[in-house]
Amino acid sequence: MTDVKQQQPYGSWPSPVSAEDAARGDALLEWVGFLGEDVCWTEVLPEEDGRSGLMCRSADGVREVLPAGWDVRTRVIEYGGRPWLALSGRAGDGLVFTHGPDQRVYRWRPGTAPVPLSPAGSMPGELRYADFALRGDEVWCLRETVTDDTARSARRHLVAIPLDGSAADDPSRVRELAASHHFMTGPRVEPGGDRVAWLGWDHPDMPWDSTRLMVAGIQPDGTLGEAVARMGGEREAVTQADWATDGSGTLYAVSDPDGWWNVHAIDRDGGIRHLRPGPEEFGEALWRIGLRWCLPLLDGTLAVIHGVGERRLGVLAADGTLTDFTGPATEWHFAATDGRRIAAVSSSPGRRRTVVLADPADGSVETVRAPSGATAGTSFEACATTAYRRTYRGDDGEPVHAHVHPPYHPAVTGPEDELPPWLVFVHGGPTSRTHLVLNQEISYFTSRGIGVLDVQYGGSTGYGRAYRERLRHSWGLTDVRDCATAVRGLIAEGLADPRRVAIRGGSAGGWTAVASIAAEPDLYRAAGIYYPVLDPASWREETHDFESRYLDTLIGPWPEAGDRYEKQSPLLDAARIRAPFVLLQGLDDTVCPPAQAERLLQRTGTVPHRYLTFEGEGHGFRRSATVAESLRAELHLYGQALGFAPAL
């Protein structure tokens, strides 16, 4: 045997990670919870048209909890939310959930078929439900009522639905509890108490701009008293709230009055105590209703997910002492607790998404659901590159954070006199971030000899409010400049050939990718563009309710800032685009409708391109065949534009 690697041109390495592997290799594991002693989670099933099954580990391995065919998924605010809740600590009591196709709430008991609890709307999906809580013989939750199939207008209420099924055919049996704001999270009912809390915000704010934590008393007849704001307000965003489990009446809130999402304790009289001040995040942008990063435990401590640019799991004591779990995991998501243990999805630079069970009593972390394909082969792990964090500096001295994923193959290397091609990843959101973890799409490229530069441009979360607000009124400028800064930093380090750089992004990342190839025609030689937003003036009228005023902060209020909508649109300079591109669009996308993509084609004239559309796909592709075809189309383009013959 020999450790000498074979030399082959970068981009042409014979990767064991096929497009099909990348499409199905990393299961989308979400919405973890407990059903009795068992850990359950939702799992997107690409081979079943993206159905979301509720899964559980049993003695016989991973199994589906519900009878075949049920889709545990809600479309609330289009991005969804927590879609299921166990009805007690006993598995035999079953659960409630939202079914994807009709968006109705169902109750399931073991050994029976699910039965509807909520009424049908006048059109499919008119009434949507999420973020459930149990109180007595009712399930309390958020209800969203949309008036058209594009969800451009909607109303939201906190409602109570009888568990006996009487509202399934009688809508009057659903009780409306509150409608404090245009947008709300689901209710948090005080354990053993007589209060309920929720978060609310109104246009034009997004939930990471300004929200309010509302608390109302519960009257003897189950109605709510006057709701009072306990925290939040102008330029302060409470992103989560949960009650203590010890009956003290303490309400924990994750909020950012000091510019970082930290944990605060609010006592019964309204006094606020900052539990652990400091420049790190204990929360994220609330893109989905019901996300949690701070979990009260039965012993009075808090399980918290925290960090800067990453997320670790720790236990926070009342005196502010923080003790982290040891281990390689650098990202934790969809956390839930039974009061003693914490279940979540975790990942790291060397491991893909995994459902785990953590026990603070002994510090152990047990694997519940291993990464997809782990028993059948380890091509992802074997080809995992050694990624690292890097901070570049722009001309103005502002930091630009990035994740650098060099090309890597265990048996192949590139020629000594050649620099590899690089692909800039631009995340969506734009108020979001990506994670420095083992990722199937990144491995698809790096294992072929293509480097990936994953830029966390100004506006990204994970680095405090000031970094997040660098994008305020400058979308299409700051993001484009930061991506170029990172690329030029990579070139200055001697790692990249300036003639072999491409860029790709989806949704808001598609906006930045198009704006970048227009603004920097000599820097980028190709682009992969997924379901982009491109024409901000028309997008305001075409997109769904949740994001319909997002541009007020990204560009400026309409119509006062109307001139900036034209100046900052990627379409303004589309005629300057020389780089070939592939454009990929779901025809059922209500967030970034196909009309946005088609406007780009009208402006770019004879620039070489491919336009691929997919029936039945919305915003973010769910079907493995769609993802695989898209990746192959990208790789073919990059090979032509960056000068290599890809091994497809």
Side-chain angles (χ1 to χ4, degrees):
M1 296 183 62
T2 177
D3 293 330
V4 176
K5 291 187 176 184
Q6 179 185 3
Q7 281 195 357
Q8 291 196 29
Y10 287 107
S12 302
W13 299 351
S15 170
V17 184
S18 69
E20 287 75 17
D21 290 332
R24 65 173 177 262
D26 197 4
L28 186 54
L29 312 172
E30 301 181 319
W31 303 119
V32 179
F34 288 87
L35 183 61
E37 289 292 307
D38 295 329
V39 177
C40 300
W41 64 93
T42 61
E43 181 168 335
V44 173
L45 307 172
E47 303 304 328
E48 296 188 37
D49 290 334
R51 180 174 70 86
S52 186
L54 183 63
M55 315 303 287
C56 178
R57 185 187 66 177
S58 66
D60 298 326
V62 173
R63 63 176 176 84
E64 193 162 356
V65 175
L66 300 174
W70 291 92
D71 188 359
V72 184
R73 177 164 51 99
T74 175
R75 291 181 58 193
V76 161
I77 68 165
E78 294 305 305
Y79 290 104
R82 185 168 290 277
W84 72 278
L85 173 75
L87 290 178
S88 76
R90 299 187 303 273
D93 291 337
L95 54 90
V96 294
F97 68 95
T98 299
H99 180 48
D102 63 13
Q103 291 295 288
R104 296 176 74 181
V105 180
Y106 288 79
R107 180 176 184 175
W108 170 81
R109 295 181 178 91
T112 68
V115 296
L117 296 185
S118 66
S122 58
M123 64 178 184
E126 175 193 15
L127 302 174
R128 305 167 176 184
Y129 303 86
D131 207 10
F132 303 102
L134 181 65
R135 185 178 188 274
D137 57 2
E138 295 177 320
V139 60
W140 290 20
C141 62
L142 173 68
R143 183 187 68 193
E144 179 179 74
T145 306
V146 299
T147 58
D148 60 82
D149 57 5
T150 64
R152 291 176 192 166
S153 61
R155 304 184 306 276
R156 294 165 189 89
H157 296 82
L158 301 186
V159 298
I161 304 172
L163 283 169
D164 62 8
S166 58
D169 298 313
D170 183 2
S172 68
R173 295 280 294 162
V174 177
R175 297 193 303 116
E176 293 184 355
L177 299 170
S180 63
H181 295 78
H182 187 63
F183 297 98
M184 295 182 292
T185 64
R188 296 286 179 267
V189 179
E190 183 180 9
D194 55 4
R195 293 181 296 169
V196 62
W198 66 91
L199 306 182
W201 67 97
D202 293 309
H203 283 315
D205 289 324
M206 297 298 284
W208 43 86
D209 296 324
S210 301
T211 66
R212 284 173 170 79
L213 169 56
M214 309 301 295
V215 178
I218 304 173
Q219 308 298 326
D221 63 356
T223 60
L224 302 188
E226 180 183 0
V228 177
R230 291 295 189 185
M231 200 170 185
E234 186 66 23
R235 303 296 288 274
E236 179 184 347
V238 185
T239 197
Q240 186 208 329
D242 262 297
W243 298 97
T245 59
D246 59 5
S248 64
T250 299
L251 181 59
Y252 295 107
V254 179
S255 192
D256 65 345
D258 299 324
W260 295 84
W261 275 314
N262 286 178
V263 182
H264 302 75
I266 306 173
D267 64 30
R268 187 174 285 275
D269 296 325
I272 299 174
R273 183 163 52 94
H274 199 161
L275 293 187
R276 189 178 173 88
E280 65 171 328
E281 305 277 45
F282 287 77
E284 296 274 6
L286 192 62
W287 278 100
R288 304 174 79 181
I289 302 298
L291 289 171
R292 303 171 75 196
W293 304 273
C294 174
L295 308 174
L297 303 178
L298 291 172
D299 64 1
T301 62
L302 298 169
V304 292
I305 296 172
H306 69 103
V308 178
E310 66 175 13
R311 292 293 179 271
R312 303 276 181 175
L313 177 66
V315 176
L316 181 63
D319 64 359
T321 302
L322 180 60
T323 305
D324 282 343
F325 280 78
T326 59
T330 55
E331 295 290 347
W332 294 75
H333 317 273
F334 302 104
T337 184
D338 62 358
R340 298 179 294 107
R341 304 167 298 166
I342 304 105
V345 177
S346 74
S347 52
S348 72
R351 197 178 199 195
R352 292 172 287 134
R353 287 188 290 257
T354 307
V355 179
V356 298
L357 183 62
D359 190 342
D362 58 12
S364 63
V365 178
E366 173 191 357
T367 296
V368 175
R369 199 278 197 206
S372 299
T375 57
T378 58
S379 57
F380 287 115
E381 286 74 11
C383 290
T385 183
T386 302
Y388 57 93
R389 302 179 191 278
R390 184 76 166 85
T391 299
Y392 299 95
R393 294 281 173 178
D395 293 339
D396 56 3
E398 289 281 2
V400 179
H401 305 295
H403 305 157
V404 182
H405 301 259
Y408 175 77
H409 190 293
V412 185
T413 188
E416 293 181 1
D417 60 351
E418 180 185 348
L419 289 174
W422 282 82
L423 179 56
V424 178
F425 272 42
V426 189
H427 66 70
T431 312
S432 182
R433 69 183 180 98
T434 48
H435 310 130
L436 188 63
V437 299
L438 187 56
N439 174 284
Q440 76 276 22
E441 290 189 354
I442 290 177
S443 291
Y444 178 76
F445 293 108
T446 57
S447 63
R448 285 170 165 75
I450 304 166
V452 168
L453 181 65
D454 192 0
V455 183
Q456 313 300 302
Y457 51 86
S460 299
T461 58
Y463 305 94
R465 179 180 281 265
Y467 193 79
R468 197 165 73 236
E469 292 195 342
R470 282 186 54 210
L471 204 60
R472 190 175 184 87
H473 294 171
S474 66
W475 192 32
L477 304 173
T478 295
D479 47 328
V480 171
R481 183 171 60 248
D482 283 0
C483 287
T485 291
V487 171
R488 292 192 169 99
L490 198 70
I491 293 169
E493 292 173 338
L495 299 176
D497 183 336
R499 299 164 299 179
R500 306 186 78 188
V501 179
I503 190 168
R504 56 111 70 175
S507 188
W511 159 290
T512 303
V514 174
S516 293
I517 59 176
E520 299 275 2
D522 296 323
L523 188 60
Y524 303 106
R525 302 305 171 99
I529 305 161
Y530 285 74
Y531 33 83
V533 52
L534 296 172
D535 183 353
S538 65
W539 184 74
R540 293 181 69 259
E541 304 299 326
E542 294 170 346
T543 194
H544 60 127
D545 182 46
F546 177 64
E547 290 186 280
S548 62
R549 299 290 300 276
Y550 193 8
L551 299 183
D552 282 42
T553 51
L554 292 177
I555 298 177
W558 179 271
E560 296 88 337
D563 59 330
R564 293 208 295 266
Y565 279 68
E566 180 179 357
K567 292 177 181 177
Q568 291 174 218
S569 167
L571 296 179
L572 176 66
D573 293 325
R576 297 185 63 203
I577 293 175
R578 300 197 302 266
F581 60 87
V582 58
L583 181 58
L584 307 122
Q585 178 69 48
L587 294 179
D588 295 346
D589 193 339
T590 60
V591 178
C592 295
Q596 292 282 310
E598 290 158 7
R599 290 188 182 102
L600 175 64
L601 301 180
Q602 295 167 4
R603 300 285 187 98
T604 50
T606 59
V607 175
H609 70 271
R610 290 185 68 192
Y611 181 41
L612 302 181
T613 60
F614 300 95
E615 294 276 1
E617 290 284 13
H619 197 65
F621 298 155
R622 297 173 67 88
R623 297 171 178 169
S624 58
T626 302
V627 176
E629 183 177 351
S630 301
L631 287 172
R632 282 194 295 267
E634 278 194 84
L635 184 61
H636 180 75
L637 168 68
Y638 302 144
Q640 288 185 321
L642 305 182
F644 61 85
L648 297 174

